[in-house]
Amino acid sequence: MSKENTQNLFQEIISHCKEYGFIFPSSEIYDGLSAVYDYGPYGIELKNNIQQYWWKSMVQLHENIVGIDAAIFMHPKTWKASGHVDAFNDPLIDNKDSKKRYRADVLIEEAMQKQEAKIEKEVEKAQKRFGDTFDKEMFLKTNPNVLRVREKVDATEARFKAALEANDLAEIKQIIVDLEIVCPVSGTRNWTDVRQFNLMFATEMGSLAEDSNTIYLRPETAQGIFVNFLNVMNTSRQRIPFGIAQVGKAFRNEIVARQFIFRTREFEQMEMQFFVRPGEQKKWYEYWKEARLKWHRTLGFKETELKYKDHLKTAHYADAAVDIEFEFPFGFKEMEGIHSRTNYDLTQHQNMSGKKLQYFDPELNESYIPYVVETSVGLNRTFLALMCSGYKNEKLEDGSERVVLALPAFLAPVKIGVFPLVKKDGLPEKAREIFDVLKFDHQCFYDEKDSIGKRYRRQDALGTPFCITVDHDTLVDNMVTIRDRDTMLQERISIEKLKEVVNAKVDWRRR
Ligand code: ATP
């Protein structure tokens, strides 16, 4: 798909989210607040379903993972200990002509992606030219154009990595200059120097009359887990290796918040910190890396829509890190991070608090500060990925079109639409009877307005996997029509069997 087409598709998805009550701009009657969004009636259902599925997969299915819900506000020393006060920065750069602000690292990454896209184009062209005889591996190794671009990308990547590691802001600026990156708004290369910008939101706790204290809105949920390590260990009878899971809001004053809900200043994370014996972190890192990719695959994403990306520079606390990326319409981007966080956080908190954050290992007969492997996935980004993957504008055989949201049935905001064929002859009463039974198990939607075709289309656009229609025959034979969103096939089944059939179709255990 061309860049323009993917851009149009993304705009369509954003409009769809608003039109069908998934996502609204925040405080819209006041013209909205930049990069802040509210979830509407169907958005909250989908978001809750993703969250619950994650919770079940991590906590319910793992005897050795327990959950917590820590407060957003935390003692300010937490953020000093974790390193966020001193090192939670992004490098920013301004264009002097447009006055627009950018993340310097993102500008460079995007420039490198553009180069990578050139290689993809060369491959596509050659594939067309050579047809079945095309040997992609050989082509990538030998084609002079590809080799030239590859050399350039590799050189830039090495330079960029070194600059990030050395925290060399002048060099980062120089890379932007050397790559001849222009501001997308002004089209000029009139850049300021690169500066570091701390991403934490600060606020005051307590009234002015009291001793007021600067506190931060948490930029990650993880620290709420670390500071509760002892409490959880002492109350849950867990033995290492074990994990603590949490879902909650996090706040980052992102330099550039954009791409709809992909990058916002307020968002939700689903995190799990897995505490392991020192020396076993590599094994568990590999384990969770694989397990988490498998989890994403259960959300119905295509094989080609997901990939791993190793970090160029690991964070100050990590000894290994990888992202699981999803192919959004604007390119492959991070959806989840898996980090081997060493014993950095617990050690820092032990030093800062003076409390021993150790585990006595009865098998080894010794105490140690556990190592930690973290899995951290964005709830909103997973939501967006599902929307992007599921949204389809289909041309039907009869020439008509339909918009369908092919969400996995177990995550769909509404599971079943229940319709009387017409609004008379006792059909609404019969349909309501069915609705009143199913509603105890599932989010259902009763609808008697408009033609049956229009009602089906509306549920297709919401991602409702099944619709049930009550017609005149139902009153005689106690059978209803059940229609499948994806195949649009209709089947008649008896009302008695309905509950069993629907339960089976939307069961999360089928993943
Ligand atoms: P990025 O490189 O995109 O800024 P990150 O590497 O800083 O992300 P992590 O600190 O690893 O992100 O956070 C874990 C997850 O939280 C990310 O994979 C992402 O899904 C989510 N996340 C992080 N920042 C945001 C944001 N500003 N808006 C929405 N989700 C976010």
Side-chain angles (χ1 to χ4, degrees), residues 478-482 491-495 497-498 501-502:
N478 238 14
M479 309 267 277
V480 289
T481 303
I482 181 163
E491 206 187 320
R492 269 188 96 72
I493 60 170
S494 81
I495 293 176
K497 276 210 179 143
L498 202 50
V501 169
V502 171

Side-chain angles (χ1 to χ4, degrees), residues 84 167 191 194 302 440 447 492 504:
H84 283 79
N167 209 359
W191 298 109
V194 176
K302 286 191 227 69
F440 285 96
D447 195 3
R492 269 188 96 72

Side-chain angles (χ1 to χ4, degrees), residues 386-398:
L386 281 162
M387 279 296 195
C388 292
S389 178
Y391 182 88
K392 292 191 187 102
N393 216 325
E394 280 184 355
K395 261 213 153 60
L396 303 179
E397 274 173 16
D398 64 4

Side-chain angles (χ1 to χ4, degrees), residues 103 252 254 261-265 267 269 271 311 334-337 339 376-378 380-381:
R103 256 175 74 175
R252 295 181 188 177
E254 299 279 3
I261 56 166
F262 177 79
R263 186 181 301 287
T264 48
R265 297 193 172 99
F267 57 96
Q269 292 183 314
E271 293 199 313
H311 280 208
E334 170 175 351
M335 182 152 60
E336 168 152 4
H339 307 117
S376 176
V377 56
N380 320 78
R381 283 191 192 174

Side-chain angles (χ1 to χ4, degrees), residues 84 88 90 103 105-106 109 199 219-220 250-254 256-258 260-271 311 317 322-324 333-339 341 374-382:
H84 283 79
F88 195 53
D90 274 342
R103 256 175 74 175
D105 54 335
V106 172
E109 271 165 16
L199 299 181
E220 62 176 21
F251 303 82
R252 295 181 188 177
N253 199 2
E254 299 279 3
V256 190
R258 60 182 171 158
F260 194 37
I261 56 166
F262 177 79
R263 186 181 301 287
T264 48
R265 297 193 172 99
E266 173 181 346
F267 57 96
E268 278 165 275
Q269 292 183 314
M270 305 187 285
E271 293 199 313
H311 280 208
Y317 49 75
V322 68
D323 292 339
I324 294 175
K333 298 273 180 222
E334 170 175 351
M335 182 152 60
E336 168 152 4
I338 294 135
H339 307 117
R341 288 183 83 126
E374 164 186 81
T375 70
S376 176
V377 56
L379 176 51
N380 320 78
R381 283 191 192 174
T382 310

